[in-house]
Amino acid sequence: MYTGTYRTECRFDCGTLLSSYEILNTVRIFLPGGKCCSDPEQAQNVSDCILVGQRADGTVYAEVRLEDRTVTRTAPAPVTPDEDALEFAVCSLLYEVLREMTGYTPPWGLITGIRPVRKVIQLLENGKTPDEAAAFLRRKYHISAEKMQLALDTALVQQPILPHSPKEIGFYVSIPFCPTRCSYCSFVSHSMQSAYKLIPDYIARLCEEIEVCGQIIREHGLTVQSVYIGGGTPTSITAEQLRQVMETVRSHIDIGSAREYTVEAGRADTITAEKLRVIQEEGATRISVNPQTLQDNVLQAIGRDHTAQQAVDAFRLARSMGFDDINMDLIAGLPSDTLTGFTDTLEKILALAPDSITVHTLTLKRAADLHGSLGGRSSGELADVMEMAALSAKSLPAHGYRPYYLYRQKNTLGNLENVGYARQGKENLYNILIMDETQTILAAGCAASTKIVSPSGDISRIINHKFPYEYIHRFDQILLKKQKTRELLACL
Ligand code: SF4
């Protein structure tokens, strides 16, 4: 595997300014262990290079010189030489060159964006049949038959569920605390030890913000379709504190009109019968119990303080109390996990028969972690991660789960995807909407991001302070942000 350093050069003589961002994303699909030199002085001494651009003779080109091997491709420039068309033309050439040089055919082809399903839905909305949409996207982006089928199946499950009125919104509440911090965590989450003293004040402020959100929803005649209490691990706080938050939600938000109400219970070491009773009594309809793995050695390696048996017990406890919509999250590619371990986890989860199962692929915290070590993985181990995703895509539908949301992230092992699978009728609208970005989401709490989608599709975002201390002590600014939200919502 290539682990050297290369430089890039983008030359467009028609004067079009072209960012090299997509070019780099395309290169990273093939050379995840390589490093791009961004210092112009040092770059002069780097012989490996990626050259793309446009020539005066009306052609575009991509040339890759790596370790004494050079491959070049040329094609006519696009008829409409706008920035997007030029960028796509050179990325396509670069894709062909790198595929030839590395011998690697990426499963998602040339798609580097995070929402392949949106592309399918747009084509379906424009009148293409599912077969036509799939054929078009496969031709344009070189997507493998398996991944195209996954994206198409997901789009077909999603399409009838997606809301159509801009007045229908999602509501999110953030409780950003966890018992300990997992080694791979890239969320805004604070361990209970470090944030313990702040929690009562945090909850008091959070309840104030929820109340203001309720006023805004009523003033603008909005309907809440989905409520999601996420984190962190919302069940990290005490049962009384959870009751305080959920009582506030019930008093100020019309949860009766919502299609679903989720509390992300998350980690088994925080789930008790008392907290589950609060969740039930306060009107939530869905919980997540997220073991990520049922291998004790892997749980230990990622810094979790609970065992696989505790996760199984937490699931069974919730079932015995009558929860009929439980999600379980898994991660492919966790440190110390193996294909055998993942297969065993998947079998044990299937035996529990949760209502939905989300399979993530490990995302490394920093792009830099991909360089050189590939997050500590050898090529063989990366092939295993691919196999884990393929195994999930095969065995979950065979057990009655349909893919209903799918997204990709940067710095994900093998450039793979995250997929939510659910039994029919148990699809979580909030998960779809957070990725689809076609519905307004009003959010309360630390690092919560309110997203206002205008009827024309323009998106405005208002993001709360990232740390609990800031959130508590600069709460006047949170109220100003809510005033801004009011003004922006006037467009709906
Ligand atoms: S449970 Fe989730 S949010 Fe909490 S530390 Fe682990 S990965 Fe981060």
Side-chain angles (χ1 to χ4, degrees):
M1 182 177 297
Y2 179 80
T3 53
T5 300
Y6 58 84
R7 64 188 166 88
T8 57
E9 257 183 50
C10 308
R11 289 193 182 157
F12 290 88
D13 50 20
C14 66
T16 305
L17 283 174
L18 188 68
S19 113
S20 62
Y21 183 71
E22 275 307 309
I23 310 284
L24 262 184
N25 282 340
T26 306
V27 175
R28 285 184 183 133
I29 295 174
F30 293 91
L31 310 176
K35 189 167 190 290
C36 179
C37 177
S38 54
D39 180 320
E41 269 185 35
Q42 285 178 11
Q44 288 171 8
N45 303 318
V46 174
S47 52
D48 288 351
C49 57
I50 314 288
L51 310 170
V52 295
Q54 183 182 26
R55 293 201 177 99
D57 63 1
T59 58
V60 288
Y61 65 90
E63 181 169 308
V64 178
R65 298 180 201 155
L66 285 186
E67 296 171 335
D68 300 328
R69 197 170 160 219
T70 299
V71 178
T72 309
R73 286 269 195 293
T74 305
V79 183
T80 321
D82 60 46
E83 186 173 332
D84 286 349
L86 272 174
E87 190 169 71
F88 187 76
V90 291
C91 284
S92 300
L93 286 178
L94 195 51
Y95 175 88
E96 282 178 33
V97 171
L98 286 164
R99 192 169 56 166
E100 182 184 325
M101 282 189 110
T102 60
Y104 171 58
T105 300
W108 283 104
L110 187 49
I111 285 201
T112 55
I114 61 170
R115 283 185 286 274
V117 176
R118 184 99 279 273
K119 289 187 190 298
V120 183
I121 290 182
Q122 275 162 354
L123 290 170
L124 297 177
E125 285 173 351
N126 288 338
K128 292 250 190 285
T129 65
D131 284 350
E132 286 167 350
F136 174 83
L137 290 172
R138 285 204 68 197
R139 208 169 41 244
K140 182 165 179 182
Y141 294 104
H142 311 278
I143 305 169
S144 73
E146 293 75 25
K147 297 297 180 200
M148 191 64 246
Q149 194 60 49
L150 182 63
L152 185 62
D153 289 346
T154 308
L156 292 173
V157 173
Q158 259 185 34
Q159 225 189 357
I161 304 171
L162 288 171
H164 298 292
S165 164
K167 294 271 188 189
E168 293 171 339
I169 68 160
F171 182 57
Y172 180 79
V173 177
S174 162
I175 301 186
F177 308 109
C178 288
T180 54
R181 203 164 156 79
C182 303
S183 63
Y184 60 86
C185 182
S186 56
F187 299 105
V188 177
S189 168
H190 307 272
S191 78
M192 293 296 281
Q193 292 99 314
S194 67
Y196 186 72
K197 286 193 189 133
L198 296 175
I199 292 176
D201 285 344
Y202 178 78
I203 287 175
R205 292 303 198 194
L206 178 65
C207 290
E208 268 186 69
E209 197 187 358
I210 293 170
E211 199 174 326
V212 175
C213 288
Q215 287 163 8
I216 293 174
I217 289 166
R218 285 190 297 280
E219 281 162 22
H220 290 273
L222 306 174
T223 307
V224 173
Q225 276 203 310
S226 61
V227 180
Y228 198 103
I229 301 187
T233 303
T235 39
S236 301
I237 57 177
T238 65
E240 297 78 57
Q241 289 165 335
L242 189 60
R243 168 99 60 197
Q244 194 184 340
V245 174
M246 293 188 73
E247 250 177 18
T248 309
V249 170
R250 188 164 48 82
S251 309
H252 297 280
I253 309 290
D254 179 12
I255 58 172
S257 66
R259 167 197 148 109
E260 65 192 29
Y261 182 173
T262 299
V263 177
E264 208 175 354
R267 289 166 53 155
D269 44 347
T270 65
I271 299 174
T272 63
E274 197 187 0
K275 290 178 199 174
L276 289 174
R277 207 166 303 116
V278 169
I279 292 170
Q280 220 164 25
E281 287 170 1
E282 293 300 332
T285 54
R286 178 179 182 270
I287 59 166
S288 263
V289 178
N290 299 334
Q292 316 302 13
T293 170
L294 289 180
Q295 308 304 303
D296 282 334
N297 65 316
V298 183
L299 284 167
Q300 246 179 24
I302 62 176
R304 288 205 170 197
D305 278 347
H306 65 83
T307 61
Q309 189 57 47
Q310 275 177 284
V312 171
D313 291 345
F315 176 88
R316 290 201 174 123
L317 174 66
R319 267 289 195 251
S320 71
M321 291 176 67
F323 281 90
D324 65 357
D325 195 352
I326 309 179
N327 172 73
M328 294 187 100
D329 272 11
L330 299 181
I331 300 180
L334 284 171
S336 310
D337 207 0
T338 58
L339 183 54
T340 312
F342 183 85
T343 307
D344 180 67
T345 296
L346 197 58
E347 282 168 6
K348 286 177 174 154
I349 296 285
L350 285 169
L352 291 173
D355 305 280
S356 56
I357 301 172
T358 310
V359 183
H360 298 271
T361 307
L362 186 69
T363 299
L364 301 172
K365 281 190 271 191
R366 301 173 307 135
D369 293 339
L370 280 164
H371 300 312
S373 66
L374 287 169
R377 277 29 168 229
S378 66
S379 316
E381 285 167 326
L382 272 185
D384 282 353
V385 178
M386 302 249 184
E387 192 53 41
M388 293 174 194
L391 179 70
S392 311
K394 199 170 152 204
S395 50
L396 291 175
H399 285 79
Y401 297 90
R402 306 183 303 167
Y404 77 96
Y405 83 103
L406 180 162
Y407 67 99
R408 302 171 69 228
Q409 282 169 291
K410 299 240 178 300
N411 308 333
T412 297
L413 290 178
N415 199 28
L416 290 169
E417 64 284 337
N418 304 308
V419 188
Y421 296 86
R423 294 196 187 283
Q424 189 156 9
K426 300 290 187 182
E427 302 86 6
N428 183 249
L429 180 63
Y430 183 83
N431 281 335
I432 297 176
L433 294 173
I434 198 78
M435 284 303 131
D436 187 66
E437 299 213 304
T438 53
Q439 193 191 42
T440 293
I441 294 177
L442 204 56
C446 201
S449 168
T450 288
K451 185 162 50 184
I452 297 164
V453 184
S454 77
S456 60
D458 293 337
I459 299 177
S460 312
R461 289 172 212 274
I462 300 175
I463 301 172
N464 283 357
H465 300 311
K466 195 170 169 187
F467 299 104
Y469 182 85
E470 275 181 294
Y471 179 81
I472 295 165
H473 293 284
R474 294 164 71 193
F475 193 70
D476 52 333
Q477 292 182 9
I478 299 290
L479 294 178
L480 288 176
K481 285 172 191 276
K482 282 287 162 288
Q483 188 50 37
K484 178 87 183 143
T485 303
R486 272 193 170 90
E487 289 158 21
L488 288 167
L489 281 168
C491 72
L492 299 187

